[in-house]
Amino acid sequence: MDPIIRIEGLHKEYETDAGPVPVLKGIDLTIDPGEFVAIMGPSGSGKSTFMNILGCLDVPTRGKYILNGRDVGTLNSDQLAHLRNEVIGFVFQGFNLLPRANLEDNVSLPLVYGDVQKSERIARANDMLEKVGLAKYAKSLPNQISGGQQQRVAIARALVNRPKLILADEPTGNLDTRTSGEIMSLFRQLNESDGITVVLVTHEPDIATYAKRLVKFLDGSLIYDGEVSEART
Amino acid sequence: MTVQMLIEAWRAMGANRLRTFLTMLGMVIGVGAVVLMLAIGQGAQYSVSQSISSMGSNLFIILSGSSTSGGLRMGLGATPTLTVADAQALSELPEMSAVAPVVPGVAQVVYGSNNWSTQVFGTTPAYLTVRNWTIAQGYPFADSDVRSATRVAMIGQTVAQNLFGNEDPVNKTIRIKQSPYLVVGLLSAKGQSLDGRDQDDTILIPVTTAQRKLFGTQFQGTVRFIMAQAVSAQMMPAAEREMNALLRQRHHVREGADSDFTVRNLTALVNTAAQATRVMSILLGAIASISLLVGGIGIMNIMLVSVTERTREIGIRVAIGARQRDILMQFLMEAIIISIVGCTAGVVLGVGGAAAANHFADITVVITGGSILQAFMVAACVGIFFGFYPARKAARLKPIEALRYQ
């Protein structure tokens, strides 16, 4: 089976007045379909930059990134948008729902950009809300539900286009322990029963234990790649 | 997709109603001003052109000269030097299409128990051609009436109204200064002249009848003035030259001496008035356009604020698959909606204002579908033009920076 993510010799530098600052220094990583990967590392280790590159929101300075069989470096901005829409589902730390749109509209938003008919958009959005247990709030606004519920809506939005890959950047960073557990269980369920590849960034070791594979960053380099359980010992 | 965008644009505008309203207000006032000023400008042009065509085109008036008696200089027309024969001679010039001598006067007119004071012009049938006037009912008097000085009359609409009311005036006999005159024709309505006189308050009778029977003249056959029409506007300068030459010859004016008459080009005077009106209406339009421009800048300003405020939203949209053109269209759509809605309200305001100006200030206004369509087009263009820069700014935001924006 072809890997969903293949990264070779990935470098990222930011231009500053004092010259280029390297953030990622030659990363090699391959992730197969169906994996559940947690990325950890201290602040400034480059894990967020890495995540942005994985999500096609940022481009590497050097190196190769092949997502779902396509070389991201060769795509234009419209093709990248299409890739983000079709292949990737994003879940952010701050939920990032549109405050003025109700949950149904929020969840169906990726379908709007995927040119799906309105009736189908609504049906699929409601299916996804059902899946995360929030079907009865379909017409509510994001500020009328709790943080954990908002994150579930964000996950429903990430899932609505049936992506192969979910990228979650600190998805439990704004949530309490119990809610965090619920969200992580949801991710694990999606990974195990639906076979969706999940890559999540976290700095909490407890959260990382929900994953099967752990990748650790330090100063822009990959310092660990292996089983979660082994890393703890 | 488009419907969804409209809904979202509407929602975004609804999120800050006061701001949206104020932005729109700029457009409303701008478009309203343009529509109103166009209506007033076109109205002014319309009334001037009405007056011009009611006066007759390519028109000259020939006045007899001034006289000096005992050091007292009299005005033009004081010395009766022009005659019916002069008019006849002028009409034979190839440059002239019609020439009519006029003996004007004021007389009391009576029909039944009604009486009315009006101006009476003794003239020839050519007068109708010169003044571009037609007969509404009956017939004009003939050249034979002029030759035999019959007591016949053509009366204007205002005179008919005052003497006859709803009665048909044709073939009735009226009395002008006690003498009976047969009404042979009713003149069509002509309205106000440029200086505001009612041109329909007139009776036309044969020039000979006026000279011999009604008013009398100082010298046999003289007239107060002659009205003449050139064949075309191009012929006006030649016609003026020829008429001067012919009349000087007929009046035996020596080389180098002053003429005892004056030829005036009426059309040139009127064209100056038309020109002034045109300049005025362009000026009004230009000033109104400035307010439209200011309205457009208002849209741009608010759109820029809106893009900054919604940077994070733009980031989210990009992250879940919006293309640059989706973002561009979304913001452009908002700008266009604001301008179109603002424009609609502005048209209503402008048309209402024009109607009010017409009703309360008695200003002639002309509102054409064309000018409203023009206002709409301009408003849509203003929306696109001033909305484009902010929209492009939004579309070009880098997704990670947009997502990081607090």
Side-chain angles (χ1 to χ4, degrees):
Chain A
M1 196 155 48
D2 288 332
I4 185 155
I5 290 171
R6 203 172 91 226
I7 285 169
E8 290 167 7
L10 189 87
H11 286 261
K12 179 70 184 179
E13 289 164 3
Y14 284 116
E15 293 297 327
T16 65
D17 292 341
V21 174
V23 180
L24 295 173
K25 307 165 185 166
I27 307 288
D28 296 299
L29 185 70
T30 302
I31 296 173
D32 288 323
E35 282 202 83
F36 192 162
V37 183
I39 297 175
M40 292 190 74
S43 298
S45 61
K47 61 182 193 303
S48 288
T49 303
F50 184 67
M51 216 35 186
N52 288 332
I53 292 173
L54 282 189
C56 305
L57 294 171
D58 205 352
V59 287
T61 314
R62 287 196 306 281
K64 197 165 218 171
Y65 172 26
I66 294 172
L67 173 64
N68 198 31
R70 301 189 71 176
D71 187 347
V72 173
T74 64
L75 304 180
N76 65 28
S77 76
D78 277 5
Q79 289 168 316
L80 287 177
H82 189 253
L83 209 57
R84 283 195 292 270
N85 187 248
E86 298 275 297
V87 181
I88 304 169
F90 280 98
V91 179
F92 305 94
Q93 178 176 4
F95 320 138
N96 280 345
L97 300 175
L98 298 185
R100 287 184 301 271
N102 66 30
L103 302 191
E104 186 180 273
D105 285 347
N106 260 296
V107 173
S108 62
L109 196 58
L111 300 174
V112 172
Y113 295 117
D115 283 332
V116 177
Q117 288 298 309
K118 184 169 172 103
S119 53
E120 197 190 334
R121 286 207 300 265
I122 290 174
R124 276 165 67 175
N126 279 294
D127 281 354
M128 286 305 139
L129 283 171
E130 180 88 55
K131 193 176 183 109
V132 298
L134 291 169
K136 62 177 172 175
Y137 296 112
K139 301 290 181 193
S140 307
L141 292 176
N143 61 11
Q144 292 167 326
I145 58 176
S146 73
Q149 287 170 324
Q150 287 188 44
Q151 193 61 299
R152 285 169 178 273
V153 175
I155 292 170
R157 181 179 66 188
L159 291 172
V160 77
N161 235 353
R162 302 177 187 130
K164 294 188 172 161
L165 172 67
I166 288 203
L167 296 177
D169 191 357
E170 302 269 10
T172 59
N174 288 6
L175 301 174
D176 60 48
T177 317
R178 195 176 58 81
T179 323
S180 297
E182 285 169 18
I183 293 294
M184 289 315 296
S185 302
L186 183 56
F187 277 125
R188 178 177 266 175
Q189 183 205 327
L190 292 170
N191 175 250
E192 284 173 358
S193 17
D194 301 336
I196 298 172
T197 312
V198 180
V199 177
L200 80 100
V201 166
T202 183
H203 60 267
E204 294 169 77
D206 289 350
I207 296 301
T209 55
Y210 285 88
K212 293 170 189 158
R213 177 180 171 191
L214 179 65
V215 173
K216 279 191 175 177
F217 275 75
L218 186 65
D219 292 336
S221 300
L222 235 166
I223 56 159
Y224 177 85
D225 183 358
E227 294 286 319
V228 178
S229 49
E230 286 172 21
R232 298 204 77 185
T233 53
Chain B
M1 188 71 194
T2 319
V3 176
Q4 190 63 28
M5 275 187 167
L6 280 172
I7 293 169
E8 281 184 20
W10 189 253
R11 194 184 277 151
M13 283 163 22
N16 205 330
R17 287 203 183 81
L18 180 62
R19 197 164 76 186
T20 307
F21 170 74
L22 290 175
T23 312
M24 257 178 208
L25 198 59
M27 278 314 280
V28 172
I29 292 171
V31 172
V34 169
V35 169
L36 181 61
M37 292 305 147
L38 276 181
I40 289 175
Q42 288 184 340
Q45 282 183 318
Y46 173 79
S47 47
V48 166
S49 73
Q50 274 299 96
S51 309
I52 292 172
S53 72
S54 81
M55 190 186 75
S57 50
N58 311 328
L59 214 54
F60 289 102
I61 184 165
I62 301 122
L63 298 156
S64 52
S66 64
S67 69
T68 309
S69 74
L72 195 66
R73 298 193 68 211
M74 308 303 281
L76 286 177
T79 320
T81 53
L82 295 170
T83 62
V84 176
D86 283 336
Q88 181 61 35
L90 288 175
S91 72
E92 280 159 19
L93 286 173
E95 290 87 358
M96 309 313 298
S97 63
V99 178
V102 179
V103 176
V106 173
Q108 202 70 20
V109 199
V110 181
Y111 175 74
S113 58
N114 297 327
N115 76 98
W116 183 250
S117 174
T118 184
Q119 68 176 354
V120 178
F121 276 7
T123 187
T124 60
Y127 187 75
L128 295 182
T129 318
V130 172
R131 293 294 316 278
N132 194 19
W133 216 341
T134 55
I135 292 287
Q137 281 173 56
Y139 300 94
F141 55 69
D143 287 325
S144 60
D145 290 315
V146 175
R147 274 195 299 278
S148 50
T150 24
R151 286 196 164 101
V152 288
M154 292 185 266
I155 65 172
Q157 294 280 348
T158 306
V159 178
Q161 199 87 60
N162 283 290
L163 290 184
F164 294 93
N166 293 327
E167 208 178 321
D168 179 6
V170 177
N171 288 325
K172 304 277 160 49
T173 302
I174 55 172
R175 298 171 78 83
I176 306 175
K177 278 195 177 168
Q178 318 303 340
S179 309
Y181 284 77
L182 178 70
V183 177
V184 291
L186 173 65
L187 293 161
S188 58
K190 215 168 187 24
Q192 281 189 356
S193 68
L194 264 183
D195 55 8
R197 275 179 303 111
D198 178 7
Q199 302 181 86
D200 295 319
D201 194 0
T202 306
I203 293 179
L204 303 181
I205 61 171
V207 60
T208 44
T209 316
Q211 285 172 326
R212 295 175 206 161
K213 297 175 177 168
L214 190 60
F215 301 126
T217 47
Q218 224 173 326
F219 301 106
Q220 183 71 35
T222 58
V223 297
R224 186 76 61 80
F225 58 89
I226 295 172
M227 296 199 81
Q229 185 180 41
V231 246
S232 66
Q234 288 77 23
M235 291 303 258
M236 298 274 295
E240 188 165 356
R241 224 168 28 243
E242 289 301 313
M243 286 194 296
N244 270 308
L246 180 65
L247 286 179
R248 281 175 74 91
Q249 188 197 336
R250 283 178 61 84
H251 293 187
H252 310 294
V253 181
R254 275 193 305 276
E255 198 77 35
D258 287 342
S259 297
D260 59 353
F261 61 91
T262 309
V263 176
R264 268 198 201 147
N265 184 334
L266 282 183
T267 307
L269 291 176
V270 163
N271 282 346
T272 312
Q275 187 68 34
T277 323
R278 199 152 45 235
V279 169
M280 181 195 81
S281 81
I282 290 171
L283 213 61
L284 286 178
I287 291 168
S289 303
I290 290 172
S291 61
L292 192 62
L293 188 73
V294 172
I297 293 171
I299 290 186
M300 182 145 152
N301 194 2
I302 287 301
M303 292 302 295
L304 282 172
V305 172
S306 177
V307 168
T308 309
E309 274 184 356
R310 285 150 70 190
T311 299
R312 199 175 173 79
E313 176 193 322
I314 294 164
I316 299 167
R317 288 175 182 277
V318 170
I320 63 175
R323 290 160 299 187
Q324 287 198 349
R325 67 166 168 275
D326 294 325
I327 304 291
L328 184 81
M329 281 306 294
Q330 185 190 341
F331 281 89
L332 211 49
M333 195 81 91
E334 277 183 46
I336 293 172
I337 290 177
I338 287 177
S339 13
I340 300 239
V341 174
C343 176
T344 311
V347 167
V348 171
L349 187 79
V351 171
N358 180 256
H359 187 261
F360 295 111
D362 207 17
I363 294 169
T364 313
V365 294
V366 173
I367 296 166
T368 58
S371 68
I372 288 175
L373 191 74
Q374 213 177 321
F376 258 103
M377 301 287 280
V378 169
C381 290
V382 164
I384 292 171
F385 184 79
F386 287 103
F388 187 78
Y389 174 72
R392 200 187 60 160
K393 193 182 166 205
R396 290 195 172 175
L397 281 174
K398 292 220 170 73
I400 39 168
E401 281 162 27
L403 274 171
R404 219 177 277 150
Y405 187 86
Q406 292 301 324

